[in-house]
Amino acid sequence: QVQLVESGGGSVQAGGSLRLSCAPSGLRVGPNCMGWFRQAPGKAREGLCRIDRDGRTTYAKAMKDRVTISKDNAENILYLQINNVKPEDTAMYYCAADHLFSRCDTWSGFTYWGRGTQVTVSS
């Protein structure tokens, strides 16, 4: 059974930084695309960034200046660094993965999802 487990969330003051992690298990082969998403209360889920097996990254325009996605290829652990956090970054953050390389051309259709880690930013 495939599982993605996010960690690193919590409460942080505006202007601070966070590093989220996502550890997959149960995958017989490494995913070809992984990504970070978030969903704030009352809002739709939004894609933040993606990374493919070759390390190519895609960022949503709104977050590009404040987030960095990276991946430990040996362990397939995914990271999300968020700098200069703002109250509007308060949300549940999810990682997602897919075996399709082409999944990294889109924000939709990811096969595997974690349960999320809550990030709360206070002003």
Side-chain angles (χ1 to χ4, degrees):
Q1 182 180 357
V2 175
Q3 283 190 313
L4 302 177
V5 180
E6 301 95 337
S7 61
S11 297
V12 62
Q13 286 200 316
S17 298
L18 273 178
R19 191 190 196 206
L20 307 182
S21 301
C22 171
S25 63
L27 288 166
R28 284 192 284 181
V29 295
N32 285 315
C33 184
M34 298 186 78
W36 284 101
F37 296 74
R38 71 182 181 186
Q39 187 166 20
K43 294 190 176 182
R45 186 175 62 199
E46 62 174 328
L48 303 178
C49 45
R50 309 183 297 254
I51 186 167
D52 68 21
R53 66 170 184 236
D54 297 325
R56 285 184 291 260
T57 58
T58 303
Y59 292 92
K61 194 177 291 187
M63 299 295 290
K64 189 173 184 178
D65 294 334
R66 296 193 294 117
V67 301
T68 303
I69 187 172
S70 60
K71 187 161 147 309
D72 177 332
N73 285 323
E75 301 289 334
N76 287 316
I77 296 176
L78 188 69
Y79 299 100
L80 178 69
Q81 177 74 31
I82 314 173
N83 297 320
N84 188 24
V85 295
K86 304 176 181 181
E88 51 263 42
D89 293 327
T90 295
M92 187 72 81
Y93 284 72
Y94 300 91
C95 76
D98 203 282
H99 289 302
L100 284 178
F101 189 75
S102 61
R103 190 63 67 210
C104 268
D105 295 331
T106 179
W107 294 113
S108 62
F110 280 79
T111 302
Y112 307 109
W113 290 86
R115 293 190 174 185
T117 185
Q118 177 69 38
V119 172
T120 302
V121 182
S122 58
S123 57

